[in-house]
Amino acid sequence: MKDDTDSSDPAEKAKKKKDKKEKKKKEKKAKKDKKKEHKRKNHSSENETPLKRQRCEPESSCTEKEVSTRTHTQQEETTADPLAQYNRNNPRPLAESSSLLKPEDKDTDRCVTLLLFYQYVEPVWNEEQYQEALRTAETLATSHKLSGRMRVAREGFNCTLTSKNRTDMYNFCQALRDWNDVFYKTEFKFTHDLPSAQAFPQLKVIPVVELVHYGLEGRKAPPIAQYSGVHLEPTHYHQKLAEPNTVVIDVRNHYEAVIGHFQPPAATESGEAPKYIDPKMRKSTEFPAWLDNPETQKELKGKQVLMFCTGGIRCERASALLKYKMATDPVVKDLGIKGVYQLQGGIDKYFKEFPDGGYWKGKNYVFDKRFSHAPLLKEEHVPEAKPDAPISSCESCGKPWDKFRGKQRCYTCGVPSLVCRDCLESKTKPRCDLCVAQNITSKREWREKEQREIDEYEKRSKARGVLLAASHTENPNNVTRLFLKNMCRKNMTDAILLDFLPGITHLVWKNRAGEFTGQGWVEMESPEAAAAAVARTGEVVLGRALHIKFDPPDGKDVWPPPHSKV
Ligand SMILES: [Zn+2]
Ligand SMILES: [Zn+2]
């Protein structure tokens, strides 16, 4: 093709120049329009101010199905929202978003969008799929410029991410769905207009054994698809909270529960009033033992059980564990529990549905940089809002206080300390209220108590032949080869070791010189079995405390040696 500059006819030249100019102008306008459209789309959800949104009153006839159809219709109507486009034809809406700002008080500093989501995968990914999942997590989050934490396990994803561009966020979610269909089931939850300081500085993809550390990994995990509780949308859950003969279990840790929790109505027309229960856990690993405690079981007898947590993920295994026990443990079967329900989307979603807080009292502890948040109409920075007075107090001086700040922790058990600004400055070192109540005065006492409770639970479970929940160790690299030492040289046998450590597939006793020196190497059937074995290091066999550690093959010799199969 002939170049413009080569044209010798001046008239043609002028015409071309004019055409070019006009073309440029048109392009510029189109670009501008596109930009405008983009801007409009991006901010469309802010036009619907949550402050003006009517609270959705519970209707006795409203079923779960109706609730979900209604939500869907609402989203269909707001066609300007890019989400509506994503959500069409999707079994679960990509996002249910909320803005913290009214259109008139736009603050340019509030530009961060927070995304919370989790997804369990059943059956769990094999090693190859898991490696691909880790790579994909990193690639997709990086290419969409997201920061935050992605916990990735063979059982799925659990993520807290931030971005300054919400469209990037939506595209990231869609990319996840394009990669793996399982994410079409995921509920992605967004919170917009957070201060820019709340963006995570970097992205961390963290390989984990369990998404929530319950000590219920691998074979010990009751399948969620089979045993999960009934998921209730916030409106329906709200109704249930007011029903008689109901217990509401807070499956979060105690330090989260102290600053805010559900408070169901104190009386009902008939039957026993619903009751809120805080299991007073320092970690989720205490849940299986708590659930197994006769005191707990007395509370659950004949009741319908509601569970809740921050985003919903902790209820998944917790409710599955209870339902598994209802199906397999004769003691729990006899309790006559009338159904297990869990709050879909967690407190986070309930707040979005009930901006005045509904049955919630106080703050909601969160694991991102907000530390905690309140229902919209009780948020301190929201105009016209009426924040609740703290329902908790400073662990040091006792004055009303509900803000976790800094990295101060209980010096005996290590949970975050709730101390007021003055006490934080004076550098007092308080113990948490649990340690005070349980009279735990040192780290050692705490560790002993923790171990004792797990041991007792395991003993009881073993005796009844039901599910075990041992303490366990993270095994991020999925090592299956273990090194064992300090075994009894005189009396240790294959049979004793195999009985002690289930899941051994290969066993090498002797060193290169062909003698048994109390050491050995084993290959385990799975990374979970290996982690469970390592967690038992220090347990006594034949009078000696066994040392067990991961020992990945160095590649020099064939591992496992074929003759070593047990
Ligand atoms: Zn204080
Ligand atoms: Zn403590």
Side-chain angles (χ1 to χ4, degrees):
M1 222 180 99
K2 221 169 136 191
D3 197 315
D4 272 2
T5 45
D6 283 345
S7 175
S8 50
D9 183 348
E12 205 183 318
K13 230 179 183 174
K15 190 180 173 285
K16 268 191 182 160
K17 208 172 173 186
K18 201 182 154 202
D19 283 350
K20 213 174 166 187
K21 223 176 177 177
E22 238 160 48
K23 202 177 154 199
K24 241 186 183 165
K25 219 168 151 186
K26 255 187 199 163
E27 269 172 10
K28 217 171 168 184
K29 191 177 177 288
K31 220 172 172 182
K32 215 170 156 186
D33 284 351
K34 212 172 164 189
K35 221 173 175 178
K36 252 190 199 162
E37 172 73 5
H38 185 72
K39 218 170 167 183
R40 189 173 63 85
K41 274 184 178 175
N42 268 351
H43 291 113
S44 59
S45 57
E46 283 165 12
N47 296 336
E48 182 206 62
T49 152
L51 283 173
K52 285 179 194 148
R53 238 172 84 192
Q54 284 295 307
R55 196 178 100 181
C56 191
E57 287 296 334
E59 305 149 43
S60 51
S61 61
C62 158
T63 66
E64 243 184 295
K65 207 177 162 194
E66 278 167 352
V67 172
S68 70
T69 352
R70 207 173 44 203
T71 322
H72 191 65
T73 326
Q74 272 170 3
Q75 254 143 5
E76 289 282 314
E77 280 161 9
T78 54
T79 41
D81 194 331
L83 284 184
Q85 291 163 19
Y86 288 127
N87 289 341
R88 223 163 277 142
N89 309 323
N90 281 339
R92 190 185 279 282
L94 173 64
E96 148 267 322
S97 59
S98 78
S99 169
L100 295 174
L101 293 181
K102 289 203 289 181
E104 60 265 32
D105 48 52
K106 289 261 172 60
D107 178 346
T108 46
D109 183 46
R110 295 186 153 265
C111 59
V112 168
T113 289
L114 172 76
L115 166 64
L116 301 171
F117 75 93
Y118 68 86
Q119 182 61 53
Y120 275 103
V121 179
E122 281 178 346
V124 297
W125 284 319
N126 63 29
E127 184 54 28
E128 198 181 316
Q129 293 165 323
Y130 179 47
Q131 291 307 323
E132 189 196 325
L134 283 166
R135 278 195 305 274
T136 307
E138 178 99 46
T139 314
L140 291 184
T142 310
S143 64
H144 290 90
K145 302 186 203 75
L146 309 188
S147 51
R149 286 188 301 263
M150 302 184 83
R151 292 164 64 85
V152 182
R154 286 177 58 178
E155 62 183 19
F157 276 49
N158 181 17
C159 304
T160 305
L161 295 164
T162 53
S163 168
K164 292 188 177 173
N165 182 329
R166 63 179 74 170
T167 308
D168 278 348
M169 276 279 193
Y170 301 152
N171 290 339
F172 163 79
C173 299
Q174 190 53 52
L176 262 185
R177 290 183 160 179
D178 292 342
W179 168 61
N180 191 321
D181 277 353
V182 73
F183 291 99
Y184 274 99
K185 286 191 273 179
T186 312
E187 185 168 86
F188 293 100
K189 283 173 297 171
F190 297 98
T191 304
H192 300 304
D193 306 327
L194 293 166
S196 58
Q198 288 181 7
F200 286 101
Q202 52 178 320
L203 176 75
K204 279 187 193 153
V205 177
I206 309 161
V208 290
V209 174
E210 283 178 281
L211 293 184
V212 180
H213 187 185
Y214 271 114
L216 294 171
E217 76 286 359
R219 288 171 305 164
K220 277 185 271 174
I224 287 168
Q226 191 179 350
Y227 292 108
S228 103
V230 178
H231 290 69
L232 296 181
E233 289 294 330
T235 320
H236 201 178
Y237 193 88
H238 182 80
Q239 275 175 259
K240 280 256 179 235
L241 277 170
E243 285 178 6
N245 305 314
T246 300
V247 291
V248 187
I249 302 177
D250 195 333
V251 301
R252 302 171 304 155
N253 296 317
H254 175 67
Y255 62 86
E256 300 169 68
V258 287
I259 62 166
H261 54 78
F262 279 117
Q263 204 173 74
T268 44
E269 272 178 28
S270 62
E272 221 177 291
K275 186 181 176 189
Y276 164 80
I277 301 179
D278 169 14
K280 304 216 160 137
M281 301 181 286
R282 290 174 177 87
K283 313 180 203 164
S284 297
T285 41
E286 292 170 47
F287 184 77
W290 175 80
L291 196 58
D292 198 51
N293 191 313
E295 287 296 308
T296 306
Q297 300 188 341
K298 217 160 75 192
E299 300 261 31
L300 305 187
K301 199 172 164 63
K303 300 287 164 60
Q304 70 173 354
V305 174
L306 266 59
M307 291 187 184
F308 73 92
C309 64
T310 319
I313 186 167
R314 282 181 274 183
C315 292
E316 299 288 357
R317 280 264 185 263
S319 68
L321 182 63
L322 175 55
K323 287 193 72 176
Y324 177 86
K325 281 175 180 281
M326 284 159 66
T328 58
D329 184 336
V331 178
V332 182
K333 223 184 262 180
D334 284 350
L335 294 175
I337 291 169
K338 308 240 174 348
V340 179
Y341 303 89
Q342 62 194 80
L343 177 56
Q344 170 72 43
I347 302 154
D348 197 64
K349 194 172 183 191
Y350 183 88
F351 278 11
K352 282 164 185 164
E353 202 67 54
F354 295 90
D356 69 348
Y359 288 123
W360 188 266
K361 290 287 165 293
K363 295 250 171 76
N364 176 29
Y365 185 96
V366 288
F367 293 89
D368 52 68
K369 293 190 153 195
R370 293 172 293 171
F371 294 103
S372 67
H373 69 136
L376 189 70
L377 295 180
K378 294 182 173 180
E379 279 281 22
E380 273 153 25
H381 71 268
V382 173
E384 300 159 45
K386 292 190 187 79
D388 274 343
I391 65 164
S392 46
S393 48
C394 168
E395 283 164 13
S396 187
C397 70
K399 82 169 171 208
W401 190 256
D402 62 4
K403 291 184 181 74
F404 283 96
R405 284 288 182 271
K407 288 185 174 158
Q408 181 97 287
R409 288 177 173 265
C410 167
Y411 71 87
T412 51
C413 75
V415 301
S417 288
L418 189 58
V419 281
C420 72
R421 196 172 291 122
D422 299 336
C423 291
L424 193 67
E425 270 165 24
S426 69
K427 296 206 164 67
T428 47
K429 279 194 164 182
R431 283 182 297 154
C432 71
D433 60 343
L434 287 184
C435 284
V436 172
Q438 294 163 354
N439 200 21
I440 291 171
T441 54
S442 71
K443 256 186 199 143
R444 200 182 133 182
E445 277 175 29
W446 150 241
R447 256 187 256 122
E448 281 171 0
K449 175 183 152 41
E450 190 186 23
Q451 195 54 49
R452 195 171 54 241
E453 277 169 6
I454 288 172
D455 289 350
E456 280 168 10
Y457 168 64
E458 292 199 349
K459 227 160 97 189
R460 279 199 308 272
S461 304
K462 236 180 210 166
R464 294 213 301 272
V466 292
L467 191 86
L468 266 184
S471 62
H472 95 131
T473 307
E474 303 269 309
N475 185 4
N477 297 321
N478 292 307
V479 176
T480 48
R481 184 182 192 254
L482 305 177
F483 175 60
L484 280 62
K485 68 175 188 180
N486 202 32
M487 289 184 279
C488 176
R489 288 165 70 170
K490 234 164 102 188
N491 299 320
M492 181 55 97
T493 62
D494 284 17
I496 292 172
L497 190 67
L498 292 178
D499 186 49
F500 176 70
L501 288 183
I504 295 178
T505 59
H506 296 75
L507 187 57
V508 177
W509 285 122
K510 298 184 173 69
N511 63 12
R512 282 169 197 273
E515 46 196 22
F516 175 55
T517 59
Q519 304 183 346
W521 289 264
V522 297
E523 173 68 10
M524 304 300 289
E525 64 179 13
S526 66
E528 290 80 20
V534 171
R536 298 180 65 185
T537 188
E539 284 189 30
V540 176
V541 182
L542 300 171
R544 301 181 72 93
L546 215 60
H547 290 222
I548 308 168
K549 63 169 195 173
F550 294 117
D551 190 21
D554 57 10
K556 282 184 207 149
D557 298 308
V558 176
W559 181 266
H563 66 271
S564 65
K565 206 166 183 332
V566 295

